Amino acid sequence: MAIRKIATVGNPVLRQEAKRLTREELLLPETQRFIDDLVETMLDANGAGLAANQVYTPIQVCALHVKDNPRYPYKPNIPLTILVNPELTFLTEETFLNNEGCLSVPNLRGDVPRFVHIRVKAWDRHGELIDREVKGLTAGTYQHETDHLFGKLFLDRVQDTHSLTTWADFERFHQKAFVERATALVARFGS
Ligand code: NI
């Protein structure tokens, strides 16, 4: 396994739609090794998720994992999850304003509207079907990672540019209010 370099905003690899994988491609040893690297890189960087194109490999694979995450201490835990060829359906029109950061957008955070209730269809890393509903703050994480695979960054979805902030100024000026919002959302949806 190896820790890969993470592409940052401005790199065209982040802006291209990632290629869907066939089951045969997914099960190749080299693809499985790549997924191991993706996970190791995400854990090393304390990411809540990481998409393949963020490590210069534009295929439809992303990883999610939250366990007492120091970058996002208010996020509920998400077990290690690999999504291959994910497709999201929005099950409500209701959105919440999620405050997001991204390993590919160093030292910037901003408020992004995300749907509170989604359905996720994908394969896991072995090509087994994942079909689940996801709610609340965790649904925001799924939407952020899936966006990457379609060439979108959270910056594209920021509606109020006044919400953009460095990480230090987020903690100083905005974290308290956001954590109250996030905690209420987690209490409502359990995730
Ligand atoms: Ni990101």
Side-chain angles (χ1 to χ4, degrees), residues 49-51 54 71-72 100-105 144-145 148 152-154:
L50 192 64
Q54 289 183 273
R71 274 165 60 89
Y72 304 99
E100 300 188 8
C102 180
L103 293 171
S104 292
V105 184
H144 178 113
E145 294 313 322
H148 274 299
K152 267 198 175 294
L153 298 172
F154 82 87

Side-chain angles (χ1 to χ4, degrees), residues 12 18 23 27-29 46 61 69 81-82 90 98 110 121 125 137 141-142 145 170 182:
R23 197 175 253 103
L27 297 177
L28 287 173
N46 286 322
V61 179
N69 187 299
T81 303
I82 305 295
F90 306 121
N98 197 20
K121 278 202 205 176
R125 68 179 294 168
L137 212 56
T141 306
Y142 273 74
E145 294 313 322
F170 174 74

Side-chain angles (χ1 to χ4, degrees), residues 68-80:
D68 310 323
N69 187 299
R71 274 165 60 89
Y72 304 99
Y74 48 83
K75 272 190 198 267
N77 288 345
I78 303 175
L80 178 62

